[in-house]
Amino acid sequence: MKRPLALAVTVGLLGACSHNPNPKDYKFPPPEQAARGTIVEGVASWYGPGFDGKKTASGEKFDQDALTAAHAYWAFGTLVKVTFPSTGRSVVVRINDRFPSHKGRAIDLSRAAAKAIGLIGPGTGTVRLEVIG
């Protein structure tokens, strides 16, 4: 009698976890021209190998070795100084891509940008973003 109950619980849990919205259905918020001096703290992640050479949301080809980043809504071309307090290192990136804000992250850095501030190893970390241009 315990097996049917365990099976029912397992199926129920799997069903509850399986809803993952189709990324192609995600509607990005309109671009926002962030004011110079805007400061935001949040979690950064990085991306690269699986996306290198593919088209970014801005239309340019993604180069994992360039100092670029994805942001949910800041305008393409925005220059952002990213500081990783854990290492004390900073890098300036240019926004050229998008990612869904429901990921709970403030910014997604290229591999080169993540390497510059020491984020490659941990993969994610709390950063300080400052719009500089």
Side-chain angles (χ1 to χ4, degrees):
M1 215 44 161
K2 290 183 180 178
R3 281 192 147 199
L5 178 60
L7 180 61
V9 169
T10 302
V11 169
L13 288 174
L14 288 174
C17 296
S18 67
H19 183 319
N20 186 9
N22 184 344
K24 293 182 183 203
D25 292 338
Y26 182 80
K27 302 294 184 227
F28 287 100
E32 177 183 299
Q33 192 65 50
R36 180 175 278 181
T38 298
I39 295 175
V40 174
E41 288 191 10
V43 176
S45 57
W46 68 274
Y47 67 123
F51 297 93
D52 198 46
K54 294 184 179 176
K55 197 178 203 182
T56 65
S58 67
E60 67 185 79
K61 193 183 287 188
F62 178 67
D63 178 358
Q64 66 182 356
D65 297 317
L67 297 177
T68 59
H71 191 275
Y73 52 86
W74 283 348
F76 297 137
T78 301
L79 297 176
V80 182
K81 180 179 177 184
V82 182
T83 303
F84 189 26
S86 296
T87 62
R89 294 170 18 200
S90 298
V91 67
V92 175
V93 297
R94 179 178 52 84
I95 303 298
N96 75 336
D97 207 357
R98 294 276 180 254
F99 71 97
S101 60
H102 62 73
K103 287 175 61 174
R105 307 248 164 82
I107 197 165
D108 233 352
L109 302 172
S110 66
R111 181 181 72 175
K115 186 175 180 183
I117 62 172
L119 189 69
I120 293 284
T124 63
T126 300
V127 296
R128 179 180 187 265
L129 308 177
E130 180 182 357
V131 176
I132 61 170

